Amino acid sequence: MAKLLVKLQRYFRRKPVRFFTLLALYLAAGSLVFLHSGFSGEPTVPGSPRSPAGGEGPGLPYLGVMQLSRGFKAAATVPDGGRRHGPWFKSTSKEPAERGKPRESSGTRSRALRGRSGREKEEDRARYIGCYVDNTRHRTLRGMSFFDYKKMTVFRCQDNCAERGYLYAGLEFGAECYCGHKIQASNASESECNMECKGERSNTCGGINRLSIYRLELAQESARRYGSAIFRGCFRRPDNVSIALPASQLMLNMSVDKCVDFCTEKEYPLSALAGTSCRCGFPTTLFPLHEREDEQLCAQKCAGEEFESCGTADYLLVYQTQVQDNRCMDRRFLPSRAKQLVALASFPGAGNTWARHLIELATGFYTGSYYFDGSLYNKGFKGERDHWRSGRTICIKTHESGQKEIESFDSAILLIRNPYKALMAEFNRKYGGHIGFAAHAHWKGKEWPEFVANYAPWWATHTLDWLRYGKKVLVVHFEDLKRDLFVQLQRMVGLLGIAACEDRLLCVEGQKDGNFKRSGLRKLEYDPYTPEMRKMISGYIRTVDAALKLRNLSGVPDDYYPR
């Protein structure tokens, strides 16, 4: 052996270049092995089928601290899809100037055929109804609109219109999306809708002043609309009506459209119909919109529109206009370094980003993150780029569940969501981005069973670890936050040490959705959970429920059971 080493030594002395080449290759191979081991692993969860050292899972009284690789922490929070773009915008590029230029006529027929085949694929969520004339002065669809001159697709337009409760989605000029409840124009020839979608060349997205219109079969019913206005309900007339709703006008020929247009012109977010009187204002403590009345009390026909209700002198029919309530839109960094680090902790998919949006609007201060997500930064979460210990943000988003990480925070808001919903939300984010959806192949393939086996135990250990190691933990259930936003947000803001301004919280209620709400347009038509999965998850729900009650907290909401 010694002779061999001596020979190698002499050889490399004579040929030093080969020695350094072999050394470089050895170091490169070692680096690749190290990187692979650090970033390719799935979480190791006690009780998981992938963890032989784990317990039996659901039957455990306590599941212990979940061990995660550092690589997984990044994977759990940063979308897999790479770079994401910022908000949709009305482009200032030179594209619109090209409207007057003639498009090449060759291939028009083939594009129309491709468009029809694409429409057939959309039948389950929307029905194509035809090509319509549009006019820049009098739009055919008069609801929300947005443009994207790089990545517009038919589904993207449909999805956003459906999310906001509209009945129709229309695409124009290959890049423009319009939503509405009424089609206020005549049909055009199908050959005039001949422009390819900017982000999907296999489909047609209208033409020059021509709309390809779809009726949304699965538009969400939760957000009832009239044109561009959101229906808020029937409410009793406030005592100081002239103060609560300061702008008003008598309209003998009253209709919903006229009152909404009047309040929009006056730049108020609320439009209240009171028979022949139209009133406008903001949601305030004088008129908080918290106690809805039976809609029959407001069912008086409008003088100017036979099939509409216009309320009465005592019961007002209220709509929210497209005017943005700016009383809660200002945000900034903390003026001085925070004395305490407050965590906004949740299992992935439990609504952490939505909670951050609400907290920022309610407090006026940016929230931070234990991680960095460029797509969230581009959407307006400016605290995303700060180091989590910078002290410039009001609270810190985290999905961590280890003792060391938990004990580094002085207090925490622990957001808990129904595991069946949270697991599906995180699976969609993992394979489709923050507001996208996992493909059908992912649900039906091996990815979904493996995901549930690994992540379901983590849902339980995450809550248990924060209850065990957290210093001052406020538990907030996602379902309670949706059901009673005002009260739950007051609790959250109170823990952050901010005096809650009621008018600002009422403003938040009107802006609560933000840009990270996944629409119901692509809901699965089947239950992805097998009986074995449900049995396992039910065991974890019982474990968490018992742990909450042991600390004199209310258990999990009733809608977690049965499954």
Side-chain angles (χ1 to χ4, degrees), residues 380-393:
F381 290 95
K382 300 304 180 187
E384 191 77 16
R385 187 170 282 181
D386 269 37
H387 188 274
W388 66 279
R389 284 187 177 274
S390 70
R392 297 208 304 159
T393 53

Side-chain angles (χ1 to χ4, degrees), residues 43-57:
T44 305
V45 184
S48 167
R50 291 193 165 210
S51 178
E56 294 301 320

Side-chain angles (χ1 to χ4, degrees), residues 430-442:
K430 187 176 176 68
Y431 291 100
H434 275 291
I435 55 174
F437 294 85
H440 186 74
H442 291 134

Side-chain angles (χ1 to χ4, degrees), residues 58-128:
L60 289 175
Y62 182 70
L63 299 176
V65 182
M66 178 178 170
Q67 301 297 321
L68 297 176
S69 71
R70 298 300 296 178
F72 175 70
K73 288 174 185 175
T77 56
V78 180
D80 301 273
R83 180 176 179 231
R84 288 178 61 80
H85 295 274
W88 300 320
F89 59 95
K90 293 192 176 183
S91 174
T92 56
S93 68
K94 297 178 181 178
E95 290 268 7
E98 296 175 9
R99 281 183 182 247
K101 296 180 182 180
R103 304 283 289 187
E104 63 272 18
S105 57
S106 61
T108 300
R109 179 177 172 78
S110 62
R111 279 200 300 273
L113 290 172
R114 287 200 303 271
R116 277 197 290 273
S117 66
R119 289 169 199 146
E120 289 168 3
K121 295 176 184 177
E122 305 293 327
E123 284 294 328
D124 57 336
R125 57 176 174 260
R127 178 168 55 87
Y128 178 73

Side-chain angles (χ1 to χ4, degrees), residues 66 72 123 228 237 254 283 292 362 368 378 416 456 476 530:
M66 178 178 170
F72 175 70
E123 284 294 328
S228 60
R237 173 192 169 114
M254 171 72 85
R292 291 178 63 160
N378 291 337
I416 304 174
V476 176
T530 64

Side-chain angles (χ1 to χ4, degrees), residues 176-213:
E176 301 174 5
C177 175
Y178 297 90
C179 312
H181 262 289
K182 291 182 179 179
I183 300 174
Q184 304 183 57
S186 57
N187 282 89
S189 168
E190 284 297 317
S191 62
E192 295 177 36
C193 285
N194 55 9
M195 296 184 73
E196 296 174 341
C197 303
K198 295 292 183 180
E200 186 183 32
R201 297 199 176 276
S202 61
N203 246 331
T204 301
C205 285
I208 299 173
N209 292 328
R210 295 294 182 267
L211 279 168
S212 296
I213 296 183

